[in-house]
Amino acid sequence: MDNDISFAEAMLRRGAGLLDAEADAPGGDPFAVLARLLAAAAATDAPLVVLSEGGSHPALFDEANRRAGEPLTARLAGLAATRQGERATMYEFDGTGPLTGNRIVAALLRPEERPDLLHVYIAVGRLRGGEAQITVPPALLRFDAAALGQTLGLLGDAVSRSPNAATAALAHAAAILPMEGHEQDGMPAALLDLYWHALTLASVRAASGAGASVRAAGGAAGGLAGMIPEGNA
């Protein structure tokens, strides 16, 4: 049964159930909060685009994995160019390192009519009996690509030479906001890396398709940004 649906689909089913019940997500359950948020985005701002590692678009994930091995100083320009045409996009991929055995869903939502402002949520978990179960509570990262671009312009070549300058520029453009139920004593390094990987996926997709949005019924623009997704909610 667990192979019949994806982790992302199981998340959306749970959120849809909460919407159908017209009930708020249970208090203290950040995964239920996130599932309901994604289901609401799919219901009101469809299509919610779902792209999965191992699906029909391996180039997106291969390029993001390649970029993840580069130093931060080399990745900042790409992150500053991150744009998202859709209101919501989900990327699903396998965990590595300490998260091996987990499935990861990175959900990127635009809170405003700005393609360069994104809220990033990470869900880490597994499927059990067709139900999505999280192993690490999610948190929210608010990322302003335009602010990062402005900072890079002010710092100039210093960013490419100094990891400290690069880190400071990124910190100026991003803020992590723990959701209810998350430990308050710091963000695990493996989870923090997933946020930057999610944004790298978005930046690769935008760069490869010049920011064109995916169209649910096909006939999309060229490049990875215009590719037909594995699924729409």
Side-chain angles (χ1 to χ4, degrees):
M1 177 182 293
D2 289 354
N3 293 327
D4 293 339
I5 65 171
S6 70
F7 185 49
E9 289 171 325
M11 287 179 61
L12 290 170
R13 288 184 183 184
R14 180 171 180 182
L18 290 169
L19 289 179
D20 289 342
E22 298 184 350
D24 292 332
D29 185 352
F31 181 57
V33 172
L34 176 55
R36 192 176 192 277
L37 180 66
L38 290 170
T44 58
D45 297 300
L48 186 155
V49 175
V50 180
L51 298 166
S52 179
E53 184 180 33
S56 56
H57 307 290
L60 170 65
F61 292 90
D62 289 347
E63 176 61 15
N65 288 334
R66 186 194 69 78
R67 291 194 192 183
E70 297 178 344
L72 178 60
T73 52
R75 284 186 281 146
L76 279 187
L79 292 176
T82 302
R83 301 293 185 271
Q84 180 166 292
E86 306 84 19
R87 178 67 70 178
T89 300
M90 297 172 71
Y91 300 89
E92 184 175 354
F93 50 93
D94 285 325
T96 58
L99 296 176
T100 298
N102 290 281
R103 194 68 171 168
I104 315 297
V105 165
L108 281 67
L109 281 73
R110 271 188 15 233
E112 303 174 13
E113 292 299 329
R114 279 182 52 189
D116 53 9
L117 179 63
L118 294 170
H119 282 180
V120 185
Y121 299 86
I122 299 292
V124 181
R126 304 180 180 93
L127 282 176
R128 289 293 182 269
E131 295 290 331
Q133 299 178 350
I134 63 165
T135 53
V136 179
L140 161 65
L141 182 143
R142 180 180 173 87
F143 177 71
D144 190 329
L148 177 59
Q150 293 169 358
T151 302
L152 295 182
L154 292 172
L155 293 177
D157 292 341
V159 176
S160 62
R161 298 192 305 267
S162 170
N164 288 337
T167 300
L170 198 56
H172 177 70
I176 292 179
L177 308 173
M179 297 170 65
E180 186 177 357
H182 200 287
E183 297 295 332
Q184 300 296 314
D185 56 356
M187 182 70 62
L191 184 58
L192 186 59
D193 287 343
L194 290 175
Y195 284 96
W196 308 134
H197 190 62
L199 289 167
T200 299
L201 282 162
S203 67
V204 169
R205 183 166 171 251
S208 299
S213 62
V214 173
R215 291 169 174 81
L224 290 174
M227 60 194 171
I228 300 172
E230 277 77 36
N232 289 313

PDB file of all heavy atoms in Angstrom, residues 161-174:
ATOM      1  N   ARG A 161      34.538  36.113  -2.100  1.00  0.00           N
ATOM      2  CA  ARG A 161      35.796  35.814  -1.428  1.00  0.00           C
ATOM      3  C   ARG A 161      35.631  35.402   0.024  1.00  0.00           C
ATOM      4  O   ARG A 161      36.495  34.750   0.586  1.00  0.00           O
ATOM      5  CB  ARG A 161      36.716  37.046  -1.475  1.00  0.00           C
ATOM      6  CG  ARG A 161      37.103  37.492  -2.873  1.00  0.00           C
ATOM      7  CD  ARG A 161      38.223  38.514  -2.811  1.00  0.00           C
ATOM      8  NE  ARG A 161      37.879  39.641  -1.954  1.00  0.00           N
ATOM      9  CZ  ARG A 161      37.317  40.776  -2.394  1.00  0.00           C
ATOM     10  NH1 ARG A 161      37.043  40.916  -3.673  1.00  0.00           N
ATOM     11  NH2 ARG A 161      37.049  41.760  -1.556  1.00  0.00           N
ATOM     12  N   SER A 162      34.522  35.780   0.640  1.00  0.00           N
ATOM     13  CA  SER A 162      34.372  35.603   2.077  1.00  0.00           C
ATOM     14  C   SER A 162      33.136  34.788   2.418  1.00  0.00           C
ATOM     15  O   SER A 162      32.013  35.240   2.203  1.00  0.00           O
ATOM     16  CB  SER A 162      34.281  36.966   2.763  1.00  0.00           C
ATOM     17  OG  SER A 162      33.908  36.824   4.119  1.00  0.00           O
ATOM     18  N   PRO A 163      33.321  33.575   2.974  1.00  0.00           N
ATOM     19  CA  PRO A 163      32.160  32.800   3.440  1.00  0.00           C
ATOM     20  C   PRO A 163      31.360  33.542   4.504  1.00  0.00           C
ATOM     21  O   PRO A 163      30.138  33.403   4.575  1.00  0.00           O
ATOM     22  CB  PRO A 163      32.788  31.522   4.001  1.00  0.00           C
ATOM     23  CG  PRO A 163      34.097  31.404   3.295  1.00  0.00           C
ATOM     24  CD  PRO A 163      34.573  32.810   3.109  1.00  0.00           C
ATOM     25  N   ASN A 164      32.040  34.329   5.331  1.00  0.00           N
ATOM     26  CA  ASN A 164      31.326  35.092   6.366  1.00  0.00           C
ATOM     27  C   ASN A 164      30.402  36.128   5.744  1.00  0.00           C
ATOM     28  O   ASN A 164      29.266  36.329   6.193  1.00  0.00           O
ATOM     29  CB  ASN A 164      32.323  35.774   7.311  1.00  0.00           C
ATOM     30  CG  ASN A 164      33.020  34.784   8.220  1.00  0.00           C
ATOM     31  OD1 ASN A 164      32.507  33.695   8.471  1.00  0.00           O
ATOM     32  ND2 ASN A 164      34.187  35.158   8.722  1.00  0.00           N
ATOM     33  N   ALA A 165      30.866  36.791   4.688  1.00  0.00           N
ATOM     34  CA  ALA A 165      30.032  37.780   3.999  1.00  0.00           C
ATOM     35  C   ALA A 165      28.849  37.096   3.326  1.00  0.00           C
ATOM     36  O   ALA A 165      27.721  37.605   3.347  1.00  0.00           O
ATOM     37  CB  ALA A 165      30.862  38.551   2.972  1.00  0.00           C
ATOM     38  N   ALA A 166      29.100  35.924   2.755  1.00  0.00           N
ATOM     39  CA  ALA A 166      28.020  35.186   2.102  1.00  0.00           C
ATOM     40  C   ALA A 166      26.966  34.762   3.112  1.00  0.00           C
ATOM     41  O   ALA A 166      25.761  34.875   2.875  1.00  0.00           O
ATOM     42  CB  ALA A 166      28.594  33.966   1.389  1.00  0.00           C
ATOM     43  N   THR A 167      27.413  34.283   4.262  1.00  0.00           N
ATOM     44  CA  THR A 167      26.481  33.860   5.309  1.00  0.00           C
ATOM     45  C   THR A 167      25.669  35.044   5.821  1.00  0.00           C
ATOM     46  O   THR A 167      24.462  34.932   6.062  1.00  0.00           O
ATOM     47  CB  THR A 167      27.246  33.205   6.471  1.00  0.00           C
ATOM     48  OG1 THR A 167      27.961  32.066   5.984  1.00  0.00           O
ATOM     49  CG2 THR A 167      26.295  32.758   7.572  1.00  0.00           C
ATOM     50  N   ALA A 168      26.324  36.188   5.989  1.00  0.00           N
ATOM     51  CA  ALA A 168      25.634  37.378   6.465  1.00  0.00           C
ATOM     52  C   ALA A 168      24.587  37.844   5.463  1.00  0.00           C
ATOM     53  O   ALA A 168      23.478  38.252   5.831  1.00  0.00           O
ATOM     54  CB  ALA A 168      26.644  38.489   6.736  1.00  0.00           C
ATOM     55  N   ALA A 169      24.921  37.778   4.181  1.00  0.00           N
ATOM     56  CA  ALA A 169      23.958  38.178   3.142  1.00  0.00           C
ATOM     57  C   ALA A 169      22.738  37.273   3.165  1.00  0.00           C
ATOM     58  O   ALA A 169      21.592  37.733   3.054  1.00  0.00           O
ATOM     59  CB  ALA A 169      24.629  38.134   1.769  1.00  0.00           C
ATOM     60  N   LEU A 170      22.960  35.971   3.335  1.00  0.00           N
ATOM     61  CA  LEU A 170      21.844  35.036   3.367  1.00  0.00           C
ATOM     62  C   LEU A 170      20.996  35.238   4.617  1.00  0.00           C
ATOM     63  O   LEU A 170      19.762  35.178   4.563  1.00  0.00           O
ATOM     64  CB  LEU A 170      22.378  33.602   3.317  1.00  0.00           C
ATOM     65  CG  LEU A 170      21.394  32.512   2.920  1.00  0.00           C
ATOM     66  CD1 LEU A 170      20.752  32.822   1.573  1.00  0.00           C
ATOM     67  CD2 LEU A 170      22.102  31.168   2.875  1.00  0.00           C
ATOM     68  N   ALA A 171      21.650  35.501   5.733  1.00  0.00           N
ATOM     69  CA  ALA A 171      20.911  35.722   6.976  1.00  0.00           C
ATOM     70  C   ALA A 171      20.030  36.956   6.887  1.00  0.00           C
ATOM     71  O   ALA A 171      18.944  37.005   7.486  1.00  0.00           O
ATOM     72  CB  ALA A 171      21.888  35.851   8.142  1.00  0.00           C
ATOM     73  N   HIS A 172      20.470  37.950   6.133  1.00  0.00           N
ATOM     74  CA  HIS A 172      19.684  39.172   5.974  1.00  0.00           C
ATOM     75  C   HIS A 172      18.404  38.914   5.182  1.00  0.00           C
ATOM     76  O   HIS A 172      17.386  39.583   5.389  1.00  0.00           O
ATOM     77  CB  HIS A 172      20.525  40.235   5.270  1.00  0.00           C
ATOM     78  CG  HIS A 172      19.791  41.510   4.984  1.00  0.00           C
ATOM     79  ND1 HIS A 172      19.401  42.387   5.973  1.00  0.00           N
ATOM     80  CD2 HIS A 172      19.347  42.041   3.804  1.00  0.00           C
ATOM     81  CE1 HIS A 172      18.746  43.404   5.427  1.00  0.00           C
ATOM     82  NE2 HIS A 172      18.705  43.224   4.125  1.00  0.00           N
ATOM     83  N   ALA A 173      18.466  37.920   4.282  1.00  0.00           N
ATOM     84  CA  ALA A 173      17.334  37.657   3.391  1.00  0.00           C
ATOM     85  C   ALA A 173      16.428  36.543   3.888  1.00  0.00           C
ATOM     86  O   ALA A 173      15.371  36.308   3.298  1.00  0.00           O
ATOM     87  CB  ALA A 173      17.854  37.299   2.003  1.00  0.00           C
ATOM     88  N   ALA A 174      16.817  35.839   4.943  1.00  0.00           N
ATOM     89  CA  ALA A 174      16.049  34.671   5.385  1.00  0.00           C
ATOM     90  C   ALA A 174      15.843  34.697   6.890  1.00  0.00           C
ATOM     91  O   ALA A 174      16.691  35.171   7.640  1.00  0.00           O
ATOM     92  CB  ALA A 174      16.765  33.386   4.971  1.00  0.00           C
TER      93      ALA A 174
END
